[in-house]
Amino acid sequence: MKQTRAIVITGNGTNCEMEAAHACRLGGFDETVIAHIAEILSGEIRLDDFHFLNLTGGFLDGDDLGSAKAQANRLKNAVVAGTDEKLVDQFTRFIASGKLILGVCNGFQLMVKMGMLPGFDGNYLHQTVTLTHNDCGRFQDRWTYLKVDADSPSIFTRGIDRGIYLPVRHGEGKFLCDSAATLERIETGHLAVMRYSDAGYTEQTMEFPANPNGSTNAIAALCDTTGRLMGLMPHPEAFVHYTQHPRWTREDLPEDGDGLILYKNAAEYAKKNLI
Amino acid sequence: MANRIEAALKPGVRDAQGERIKREIEHFLHLEVEEVRTLDVYTLDTALSGEELELAASGPFSDPVIQVWSIDRPLAAGFDFAVEVGFRPGVTDNVGRTAREAVAYLTGRACAEGDGVYYSVQYLLKGHLSAADVEKIATGLLCNTLIQRYSILSAADFAAKGGFPLAVPKVSGETKVEVREIDLEVSDDELMRISKDGVLALTLDEMQIIQAHYRDSKILVERKKFGLGAKPTDVELECLAQTWSEHCKHKIFAGTVQYEDENGNKQEIKSLFKSFIQRTTKDVRERMGDKDFCLSVFKDNAGVIKFNEKHSLVFKVETHNSPSALDPYGGALTGIVGVNRDPFGTGQGAKLIFNTDVFCFADPFYAKPLPSRLLHPRRIYEGVVEGVEHGGNKSGIPTVNGSLVFDERYAGKPLVFCGTAGMMPAVVNGQPGHDKYIKPGDIIVMTGGRIGKDGIHGATFSSEELNENSPVTAVQIGDPITQKRMFDFLIRARDKGLYRFITDNGAGGLSSSIGEMAGECGGCRMDLAKAPLKYPGLNPWEILISEAQERMSLAVPPEQIDEFLAMAVRFGVEATVLGEFTDNGVFHMLYGEKTVAWLPMEFMHEGLPPMQLPAKWTPPHNHEPLLEEKGDYTADLKQLLSALNICSKESVVRRYDHEVQGGSVVKPFSGVANDGPSDAAVVRPILESFEGVVTAHGICPRYSDIDTYHMTANAVDEALRNYVAVGGSLDLVAGLDNFCWCDPVQSEKTPDGAYKMAQLVRSNQALYDVCMEYNLPLISGKDSMKNDFYDGTTKISIPPTLLFSVIGKMDDARKAVTMDVKRPGDIVYLLGKTADELGGSEYLALSGAVGNKIPKVDAAKAYKRYQAYHAAVNQGVVASCHDLSDGGLAVAAAESAFAGGYGMDLDLSRVLWKGDDAGRSDCTLLFSESASRHLVTVHPEKREQFEAIMSGNCFASIGVVTEGQKLSVIGLSGASAVAADLAELKEAWQQTLREL
């Protein structure tokens, strides 16, 4: 029996593994495994056995060398026990075999710092963009309106009409590029999947607090050209049911939260293309 | 050879951290600075090749998109002064620790023992500053000299010297291990000198009890067998001092009190704890019978209650006041990650589901001189807020509830309450999750961080007042990531049944954790030389009592030890076997082969007779201010909304992740713009279920200036009415008491000890009385009894403060109610009666008065009304509900209205009044803080249903929600008493702390 399988990596300061796994299950994955990085490094669990990889929120290594830096270094250099294989080889193989990766918040930071996003020209290990300290200089927990680019190749946002409403919870979410050329390629390729916007999802905004961090061009999410790898600072797993909405006691809301569609799309894609 | 790697932001990249420092220099030190930029500096004391250094610098130590890096070459340019700040040797350096680990991954080689990476920050200041200004910036803002070191270079000196010299802050100490013997056959004065100089905090009586123990010939015979003489070793004396400290032993709560009330009635109370706190729980549980939901109370690190058939709830609230006074950031960070270990170390271990914080500070805008050694309240505020932010956020535990309380007397000691709740399986491996035990022969294992000199004498130091000589080592810095890793490992080890007993290492370190565990089975034998150290040179007594953080102690069955240790290695967690548990009745410490402490368990735990404490209650008579009728109270209302205790705390709360773990249902903010102040928190810890956990708290130290009996009654009521407001069920709710008192022991330094002790007695009396009416069992708590500052001339004592927290359940979180009004046309009800009770109110505080007419809780009536209200919530007829507390009806109405974005028309003549009509006025109706009241709105269609449910209780419809953006209150005369635009009211409420 073929099954769609999602994996959520945890350990060393990842915090959102429970709700990310819950979102995968609600989204329709047949099986979801929370794997501690120690279980991957020991060879007990292999990424090859999964279709959808979740790098989720938290404070990997306490943000000590800058968010996700230490984990990026670990993933790039650590060797899987009892093999000659570096862990990073499992990642590149996962990407090459057409599977899905979603990085949320700290996971997005990890993806850009490893070089997985935007992943130009199939090079998924070369860093060209970053996420750094919010302009306000502080961690922020607040909800944001995210205008979605309907022309983006992202498979995760298919079917989203105009935008979605999600919370951000980060101190280092300001998106920056290494050059104007990189930004240009992102913009022309419609890789900036979501932008902080007004409540009607009409205009992107640089105004705090609607744009909580001062990101370049209000960019909140980024995908690669295949659309199978995406990272975003807001937390889709934190809004999969209406009771998570900050105003659910005063607004008429559908049962599902806005974030769930990302996981539904991932499950749908996996079912059609990966098994 | 050591090297320096620097990483600097590229030109043009905004330096948010630098900008924040610049703002703080201007706001806080009133110095103009043109620009502040920051640089990361890593000092590597390792054997890396040149190529490896380049890989480190360009890899983990810098971000190629925004930073440039250098090796052994300064990057600083374009500044007038440079200040470099790093940790003192031996202080926890989290970034350094992560950097060292990154180097090991990069090279593929483990770092050699003793190799280190040390982190510092370089601040580049530009502007017209004098050397003295920069010194002030360094010591007043950038560096806490207690734990950090700094150096300053002007641009010219920097150029001449080629930057800052290479300095490795490695601990260089003697490695000679020494055990001293202390001669107790000395005069009483000398005994006290030994206690004082050693920060033992032992009284003369206690020193004499120890002296007598070492005169016992039977003891001496036994000691001789282990090569010990008639004098105690330093290990023994230090161990007894920890075990017997106020912090660990709660001597005041366990003491015998001679209480005399205002009428001269005398009463002997043997142990306040047993007579009131424990008795409350016992009596409530008896009354509940088979509905009793308490599972483990007062005996473990945290209290445990039933949540459902499969899960149990765990809750503990702690304080970390003294360390936060010295190092606000480190103290508060340690406070939160420390309390995390309590529920984690309860029963067989719990997953942590939320944090709560309550901070008590002096005015951050305080502008008067302070005694030396006291940090400015603003600096304490900044440090504590940031410390708890880092501790909570990094641990992945949502901070769902809390408050900030202000009173000038908290300048003497800030109060930092941190709470953590957890959830455990009702059954783990066939045993109740909340139970644990130890068998003789089980192995003593310590996991997590290593031991250093940090936190030595924390327990005894906090058992004394803060003074100029408070020890530096008493401060620790928490490391949430090391702890998180350990928890990730231990929770999996729990499920595999790899250990039998777990507890945390907090105050008193191993002496306390292993001492208590040994009490479970009747003894232990432990080799202190096996303990992993951060650096060499610790003496055995230091190893035993160090409060170095992130450590748990466990009892592992011998047959599981190999699997336990192997799993620890896989998860990157240090686990060390230190010895074994025995049943020979002795706390036996070795260092290698040599016995360094031999203490009978009975003497350690039972050797101390109860303290004798006088208490005499004389009610204070405060000046009673005359209230003139004003006609219009709009200006007073705005002033109240801006008051520190009432204003919005959003600038702080947004810095705390309150949504991680995904179960957030009622958040700290409610309303149309997500900014109204919620009364309580509701979370769903099990995402597949809609069962909710509800938590709330009450705290009202201002009332202590009148009577701590009513202070306590109001705190308990406030907690419960907040809890009830959002929909918490009265069938499953428990309380936790945290007493923070000023020293109540009569002495030369505390001539009013008998009064303060009487305040404590009265507080306990109220706790019993009110909790009995509310069917509220107390499941855990803590006391911190020495919250004074004394430097020989100035004494500052905090107001007696009780934080009362509640935790409970609502069966269906989808029925939760928030405080924002929902629709125009909804009817506004006030539940409960209002009385002439402005004593201790925020309203009187505006004019500096206290008064005497303290709010009194009618718990029996309130309980019945809360039950009726809960039924209304369950039937879905309540649109909004807000509790009335600081600032009374006027403040609650304003908050509900502006949170909901609709106006409100109210009529004071319709408010139910209790007591003498002489006191009934617009002023008392608006601002009186009478207890147990809720402001509720109900849709007109639900009116009859609501009134039917509430019938037989005191409630009245007092107005209506309106489309217009105005709060209008008609006074008793029929004329307007308050009329204001919501926007103005909201602005008044939001402006005070917005920029902090």
Side-chain angles (χ1 to χ4, degrees):
Chain A
M1 186 178 66
K2 296 266 186 180
Q3 291 213 311
T4 51
R5 304 187 78 211
I7 182 170
V8 185
I9 298 185
T10 188
N12 296 316
T14 292
N15 292 329
C16 300
E17 67 274 14
M18 299 295 290
E19 59 267 42
H22 178 66
C24 289
R25 290 183 197 114
L26 284 183
F29 279 90
D30 298 315
E31 191 184 349
T32 301
V33 171
I34 295 174
H36 193 279
I37 186 81
E39 296 168 310
I40 299 174
L41 284 171
S42 70
E44 288 165 80
I45 293 177
R46 294 177 344 132
L47 297 187
D48 305 82
D49 299 331
F50 296 88
H51 308 110
F52 177 35
L53 168 60
N54 286 266
L55 301 169
T56 190
F59 278 84
L60 284 164
D61 301 278
D63 275 3
D64 282 343
L65 306 175
S67 59
K69 286 289 293 178
Q71 177 86 335
N73 178 62
R74 184 184 287 120
L75 295 186
K76 281 189 175 179
N77 293 294
V79 176
V80 178
T83 70
D84 295 333
E85 183 179 64
K86 284 197 169 180
L87 186 51
V88 70
D89 299 333
Q90 285 193 21
F91 275 84
T92 45
R93 195 159 64 233
F94 193 89
I95 296 169
S97 55
K99 294 175 176 177
L100 306 174
I101 305 181
L102 182 65
V104 172
C105 193
N106 199 207
F108 183 25
Q109 293 163 339
L110 177 62
M111 288 180 84
V112 304
K113 291 179 186 187
M114 284 191 75
M116 284 195 259
L117 287 174
F120 289 145
D121 308 318
N123 184 350
Y124 290 100
L125 293 174
H126 175 64
Q127 185 182 348
T128 53
V129 302
T130 199
L131 292 155
T132 187
H133 296 279
N134 299 346
D135 276 351
C136 66
R138 299 221 193 268
F139 183 97
Q140 290 290 310
D141 179 337
R142 57 173 73 249
W143 283 62
T144 54
Y145 295 95
L146 302 156
K147 183 176 185 287
V148 172
D149 184 347
D151 297 326
S152 131
S154 169
I155 68 99
F156 296 95
T157 51
R158 285 178 185 170
I160 294 178
D161 188 16
R162 302 171 63 193
I164 54 177
Y165 187 48
L166 296 176
V168 296
R169 312 192 306 252
H170 62 247
E172 298 185 33
K174 182 183 182 180
F175 180 80
L176 291 175
C177 296
D178 64 350
S179 67
T182 299
L183 183 60
E184 175 71 22
R185 276 186 82 175
I186 288 170
E187 292 294 5
T188 53
H190 293 278
L191 305 183
V193 189
M194 298 180 199
R195 296 169 205 269
Y196 303 108
S197 77
D198 63 318
Y201 307 115
T202 51
E203 291 298 327
Q204 67 190 59
T205 180
M206 294 302 289
E207 294 293 315
F208 181 86
N211 177 336
N213 49 41
S215 280
T216 305
N217 291 3
I219 292 172
L222 184 68
C223 68
D224 76 334
T225 52
T226 71
R228 293 182 286 103
L229 273 57
M230 184 173 99
L232 70 166
M233 286 314 297
H235 286 266
E237 81 292 348
F239 186 30
V240 297
H241 187 263
Y242 74 86
T243 54
Q244 294 163 318
H245 189 288
R247 298 185 298 276
W248 70 269
T249 59
R250 56 184 300 122
E251 292 181 10
D252 269 335
L253 299 165
E255 187 80 9
D256 287 353
D258 285 3
L260 189 58
I261 191 161
L262 273 59
Y263 298 90
K264 284 187 166 171
N265 279 331
E268 180 81 15
Y269 183 91
K271 213 161 279 169
K272 281 191 183 147
N273 301 288
L274 300 176
I275 55 173
Chain B
M1 139 94 189
N3 303 89
R4 270 170 73 100
I5 293 177
E6 294 187 3
L9 290 172
K10 290 179 180 172
V13 176
R14 188 166 172 181
D15 186 341
Q17 198 195 349
E19 287 175 22
R20 186 178 137 196
I21 301 279
K22 175 182 185 297
R23 282 197 300 272
E24 284 177 5
I25 292 171
E26 289 167 356
H27 273 262
F28 189 42
L29 301 172
H30 312 292
L31 290 168
E32 281 295 316
V33 201
E34 214 174 293
E35 188 187 47
V36 180
R37 291 184 72 81
T38 58
L39 267 173
D40 297 321
V41 181
Y42 301 92
T43 303
L44 292 89
D45 186 20
T46 55
L48 293 191
S49 69
E51 195 188 342
E52 286 169 338
L53 281 172
E54 284 189 22
L55 282 173
S58 62
F61 292 0
S62 69
D63 183 329
V65 175
I66 50 170
Q67 285 180 311
V68 291
W69 53 269
S70 73
I71 298 167
D72 296 328
R73 178 176 57 81
L75 289 174
F79 61 94
D80 294 307
F81 282 94
V83 183
E84 196 164 295
V85 179
F87 288 107
R88 286 178 179 274
V91 176
T92 303
D93 176 355
N94 289 328
V95 179
R97 195 240 323 120
T98 301
R100 183 177 185 269
E101 207 178 274
V103 167
Y105 276 114
L106 194 65
T107 59
R109 302 188 302 272
C111 282
E113 193 77 22
D115 277 8
V117 182
Y118 305 91
Y119 178 65
S120 356
V121 180
Q122 206 177 92
Y123 299 92
L124 304 174
L125 311 175
K126 205 162 147 184
H128 295 289
L129 296 163
S130 68
D133 290 341
V134 179
E135 186 74 27
K136 196 170 155 193
I137 292 169
T139 57
L141 189 74
L142 303 178
C143 175
N144 182 347
T145 53
L146 206 56
I147 51 163
Q148 291 167 312
R149 68 210 147 79
Y150 68 97
S151 37
I152 299 174
L153 287 178
S154 66
D157 288 346
F158 191 96
K161 293 180 180 171
F164 287 98
L166 188 67
V168 178
K170 186 173 176 174
V171 177
S172 53
E174 295 239 352
T175 52
K176 195 181 72 182
V177 170
E178 192 186 36
V179 177
R180 288 180 309 124
E181 289 187 328
I182 292 104
D183 188 358
L184 295 186
E185 293 303 327
V186 294
S187 67
D188 289 353
D189 285 351
E190 186 61 14
L191 284 178
M192 280 319 289
R193 192 197 58 77
I194 292 170
S195 172
K196 192 82 200 162
D197 290 0
V199 202
L200 299 179
L202 291 166
T203 64
L204 182 59
D205 286 351
E206 291 159 355
M207 288 299 283
Q208 286 169 340
I209 291 167
I210 298 173
Q211 186 186 50
H213 175 77
Y214 286 89
R215 286 173 179 168
D216 184 336
S217 58
K218 278 186 286 190
I219 295 291
L220 296 183
V221 171
E222 288 299 316
R223 292 177 65 78
K224 211 169 172 186
K225 292 179 192 165
F226 297 96
L228 293 173
K231 295 175 192 165
T233 65
D234 53 6
V235 184
E236 290 170 331
L237 200 55
E238 291 283 355
C239 179
L240 289 170
Q242 303 309 311
T243 312
W244 292 2
S245 67
E246 174 55 42
H247 191 105
C248 295
K249 196 86 183 171
H250 310 288
K251 290 182 282 200
I252 293 170
F253 263 86
T256 300
V257 186
Q258 305 297 337
Y259 175 65
E260 185 181 334
D261 71 11
E262 68 270 38
N263 301 318
N265 299 317
K266 291 180 184 172
Q267 185 189 357
E268 182 180 84
I269 303 162
K270 285 191 169 144
S271 172
L272 288 172
F273 176 66
K274 285 188 180 145
S275 309
F276 295 103
I277 296 173
Q278 244 179 1
R279 184 162 65 102
T280 302
T281 307
K282 185 174 159 283
D283 291 356
V284 171
R285 291 183 73 178
E286 269 176 26
R287 199 159 66 193
M288 287 193 292
D290 57 4
K291 287 186 177 160
D292 177 19
F293 49 81
C294 297
L295 296 173
S296 172
V297 290
F298 301 122
K299 62 179 184 190
D300 211 329
N301 292 308
V304 188
I305 59 173
K306 181 177 167 174
F307 181 66
N308 59 25
E309 293 306 319
K310 287 187 175 160
H311 299 276
S312 308
L313 264 180
V314 190
F315 198 21
K316 176 63 174 272
V317 182
E318 270 276 11
T319 48
H320 219 231
N321 309 332
S322 301
S324 301
L326 295 181
D327 171 20
Y329 175 82
L333 172 57
T334 307
I336 188 70
V337 295
V339 75
N340 288 168
R341 290 193 301 275
D342 280 322
F344 195 90
T346 294
Q348 295 176 55
K351 179 183 177 293
L352 309 180
I353 58 170
F354 65 76
N355 287 335
T356 61
D357 318 306
V358 175
F359 307 141
C360 301
F361 298 139
D363 184 346
F365 308 105
Y366 191 84
K368 285 177 271 180
L370 282 162
S372 67
R373 192 67 189 259
L374 286 185
L375 296 174
H376 190 276
R378 168 76 185 264
R379 199 159 169 198
I380 293 189
Y381 177 107
E382 293 283 346
V384 167
V385 167
E386 183 159 272
V388 174
E389 173 194 326
H390 287 177
N393 290 357
K394 290 184 180 183
S395 303
I397 304 164
T399 300
V400 300
N401 186 249
S403 57
L404 290 170
V405 179
F406 295 93
D407 185 295
E408 220 160 79
R409 288 165 284 181
Y410 294 120
K413 238 188 214 181
L415 303 184
V416 178
F417 297 93
C418 296
T420 303
M423 181 155 271
M424 60 168 60
V427 177
V428 179
N429 300 313
Q431 265 196 71
H434 57 271
D435 269 357
K436 55 186 167 187
Y437 61 100
I438 297 176
K439 285 185 179 171
D442 282 354
I443 292 170
I444 300 174
V445 179
M446 184 186 97
T447 62
R450 296 187 149 213
I451 297 178
K453 294 196 182 192
D454 26 356
I456 283 178
H457 288 145
T460 51
F461 145 71
S462 62
S463 303
E464 293 185 323
E465 85 284 352
L466 190 61
N467 61 58
E468 281 206 300
N469 303 316
S470 298
V472 180
T473 52
V475 176
Q476 320 96 327
I477 296 184
D479 172 2
I481 294 308
T482 295
Q483 180 153 304
K484 173 96 182 164
R485 269 188 202 169
M486 173 172 67
F487 285 177
D488 282 347
F489 155 58
L490 288 174
I491 205 97
R492 288 165 170 83
R494 175 196 75 181
D495 294 341
K496 288 175 181 248
L498 296 184
Y499 59 78
R500 242 198 285 273
F501 195 103
I502 182 168
T503 197
D504 98 286
N505 278 286
L510 287 171
S511 79
S512 170
S513 70
I514 304 298
E516 282 171 26
M517 287 170 83
E520 293 282 321
C521 61
C524 66
R525 184 166 46 239
M526 178 161 81
D527 181 358
L528 296 170
K530 288 187 174 152
L533 305 181
K534 290 183 180 176
Y535 37 80
L538 266 72
N539 284 312
W541 72 267
E542 293 174 305
I543 297 172
L544 186 62
I545 70 164
S546 163
E547 294 177 11
Q549 292 292 296
E550 292 81 41
R551 294 181 294 143
M552 302 297 286
S553 289
L554 299 104
V556 178
E559 61 275 17
Q560 306 283 22
I561 189 71
D562 291 341
E563 194 180 343
F564 183 91
L565 295 176
M567 188 172 169
V569 170
R570 273 207 312 286
F571 278 76
V573 175
E574 190 153 30
T576 313
V577 171
L578 299 180
E580 73 266 326
F581 290 100
T582 65
D583 56 2
N584 64 8
V586 178
F587 183 80
H588 188 177
M589 294 296 111
L590 297 124
Y591 192 87
E593 298 291 303
K594 192 169 176 282
T595 293
V596 295
W598 190 92
L599 290 166
M601 299 290 301
E602 199 185 344
F603 177 62
M604 269 177 85
H605 293 301
E606 314 293 338
L608 203 58
M611 253 177 138
Q612 299 294 321
L613 299 156
K616 187 168 186 329
W617 174 242
T618 320
H621 291 285
N622 299 308
H623 164 70
E624 190 62 50
L626 274 177
L627 299 169
E628 49 175 312
E629 281 292 323
K630 288 190 181 172
D632 185 79
Y633 288 93
T634 309
D636 284 358
L637 172 57
K638 283 187 194 164
Q639 219 187 326
L640 269 178
L641 287 167
S642 296
L644 280 169
N645 281 323
I646 293 174
C647 71
S648 171
K649 313 297 187 295
E650 187 167 356
S651 59
V652 172
V653 176
R654 291 269 174 226
R655 293 169 64 182
Y656 295 154
D657 187 334
H658 52 259
E659 296 175 286
V660 62
Q661 299 192 11
S664 165
V665 176
V666 175
K667 302 180 201 296
F669 296 106
S670 302
V672 66
N674 304 343
D675 58 6
S678 299
D679 289 333
V682 182
V683 299
R684 286 188 301 133
I686 304 161
L687 297 175
E688 293 79 13
S689 153
F690 290 103
E691 289 169 298
V693 178
V694 185
T695 190
H697 69 273
I699 184 168
C700 28
R702 281 173 295 111
Y703 296 153
S704 292
D705 291 334
I706 302 174
D707 186 348
T708 51
Y709 183 93
H710 298 293
M711 177 277 283
T712 301
N714 277 286
V716 175
D717 181 65
E718 185 183 14
L720 195 67
R721 73 176 182 261
N722 277 319
Y723 169 88
V724 165
V726 298
S729 159
L730 292 159
D731 293 335
L732 204 161
V733 55
L736 288 86
D737 54 280
N738 282 77
F739 287 88
C740 281
W741 234 248
C742 35
D743 188 1
V745 181
Q746 187 86 19
S747 73
E748 219 169 283
K749 276 190 287 190
T750 311
D752 55 350
Y755 175 73
K756 289 169 172 168
M757 193 64 214
Q759 287 184 304
L760 185 63
V761 171
R762 293 184 64 74
S763 175
N764 274 275
Q765 289 171 333
L767 194 61
Y768 180 83
D769 295 348
V770 178
C771 288
M772 283 306 290
E773 291 292 347
Y774 285 160
N775 270 321
L776 254 179
L778 302 169
I779 56 165
S780 184
K782 200 68 190 272
D783 57 277
S784 164
M785 303 305 291
K786 308 275 170 161
N787 293 294
D788 309 87
F789 170 83
Y790 186 55
D791 64 0
T793 49
T794 309
K795 179 159 182 170
I796 307 175
S797 295
I798 65 151
T801 305
L802 172 75
L803 171 68
F804 195 80
S805 310
V806 294
I807 185 166
K809 181 176 175 179
M810 64 188 298
D811 291 329
D812 187 348
R814 290 169 293 191
K815 292 189 170 155
V817 172
T818 53
M819 50 71 65
D820 47 315
V821 300
K822 301 297 189 299
R823 283 171 233 87
D826 282 3
I827 302 157
V828 180
Y829 290 95
L830 181 57
L831 316 189
K833 286 185 175 177
T834 304
D836 179 9
E837 293 178 325
L838 279 171
S841 66
E842 280 293 322
Y843 185 75
L844 290 193
L846 287 180
S847 53
V850 174
N852 301 288
K853 297 172 193 167
I854 192 165
K856 297 194 171 117
V857 178
D858 184 342
K861 276 194 179 162
Y863 191 62
K864 187 167 157 268
R865 193 164 60 243
Y866 293 169
Q867 283 177 311
Y869 168 80
H870 185 66
V873 171
N874 273 341
Q875 293 185 30
V877 299
V878 178
S880 78
C881 178
H882 194 20
D883 102 296
L884 273 65
S885 56
D886 294 358
L889 171 62
V891 165
E895 288 175 346
S896 291
F898 63 61
Y902 295 112
M904 215 185 253
D905 285 347
L906 302 179
D907 180 350
L908 292 179
S909 69
R910 289 155 66 181
V911 172
L912 296 182
W913 184 256
K914 181 171 72 179
D916 192 348
D917 263 1
R920 184 166 175 257
S921 68
D922 289 351
C923 179
T924 47
L925 287 163
L926 284 168
F927 303 118
S928 176
E929 296 178 5
S930 297
S932 317
R933 294 177 301 159
H934 288 111
L935 191 70
V936 168
T937 61
V938 173
H939 193 272
E941 280 177 15
K942 305 267 173 75
R943 171 179 208 141
E944 277 174 30
Q945 200 183 346
F946 179 75
E947 293 186 356
I949 299 168
M950 294 302 297
S951 71
N953 290 287
C954 306
F955 74 105
S957 128
I958 62 165
V960 67
V961 178
T962 61
E963 187 85 49
Q965 297 290 306
K966 250 180 148 41
L967 175 68
S968 306
V969 184
I970 304 296
L972 293 174
S973 67
S976 167
V978 173
D981 285 341
L982 296 186
E984 284 170 56
L985 295 173
K986 193 170 183 177
E987 176 58 22
W989 182 68
Q990 289 185 328
Q991 63 176 8
T992 313
L993 293 175
R994 186 186 277 142
E995 299 303 326
L996 253 62

